[in-house]
Amino acid sequence: MTDDAPADDFPLDPRLAADTILLGDLALSRVLLLDDKRFPWLVLVPRRADVSELTDLSPADAARLMEETRLAVGVMQALAQPDKVNVGALGNVVAQLHVHVVGRFRSDPAWPGPVWGHGTREPYPAHAAAQLVERARALFAAA
């Protein structure tokens, strides 16, 4: 995973950019951390223009996205040790194809319901975000 500045030629939806912290890039996907301390939450965004559905990807890119999703689930399990990992690609609010990898706990405020629309996002304190980003990057690098 690279943690270089985002490439200028890849347009990330402004709503995703506003609510996330960049972790880096995998072969296909930009990896983001949702800035919400209530839920450990990764977002994978394939770096392909004008893609909104999984079926818009080439077969090779679709297979790569599945492998990167599997990798992100493993990182989430090591990072947060959740009771369950939810994976989804909804796109009802942000059309740009992106995959959510959310660590869920029986004790979290939305359990057992969905996290979407539950309460208000609570950003990480700066020091906590920095530590989480460092740890997540190390886990991706080691995977």
Side-chain angles (χ1 to χ4, degrees):
M1 170 180 278
T2 63
D3 59 358
D4 299 331
D8 291 333
D9 60 348
F10 173 65
L12 182 63
D13 184 282
R15 289 163 292 201
L16 286 174
D19 293 343
T20 61
I21 301 165
L22 176 67
L23 292 179
D25 287 337
L26 298 172
L28 174 65
S29 302
R30 173 127 322 133
V31 182
L32 308 167
L33 172 70
L34 190 73
D35 192 10
D36 188 345
K37 68 181 184 179
R38 300 173 305 150
F39 309 103
W41 192 325
L42 302 173
V43 180
L44 303 177
V45 185
R47 293 186 317 278
R48 299 291 185 259
D50 302 319
V51 172
S52 61
E53 304 294 341
L54 288 167
T55 53
D56 293 338
L57 294 173
S58 70
D61 279 352
R64 170 68 70 182
L65 181 58
M66 178 55 74
E67 286 307 309
E68 291 180 353
T69 301
R70 289 171 45 87
L71 176 69
V73 168
V75 166
M76 178 58 68
Q77 289 170 325
L79 184 67
Q81 300 180 326
D83 296 318
K84 177 75 175 89
V85 178
N86 292 170
V87 175
L90 284 76
N92 296 343
V93 174
V94 174
Q96 182 175 36
L97 179 60
H98 59 289
V99 177
H100 299 270
V101 178
V102 186
R104 298 298 308 275
F105 296 90
R106 288 179 181 87
S107 62
D108 77 39
W111 186 271
V115 294
W116 288 274
H118 184 86
T120 302
R121 186 172 62 87
E122 298 176 19
Y124 288 100
H127 69 282
Q131 289 175 344
L132 193 55
V133 165
E134 183 179 334
R135 185 150 180 260
R137 285 178 178 166
L139 288 166
F140 272 105

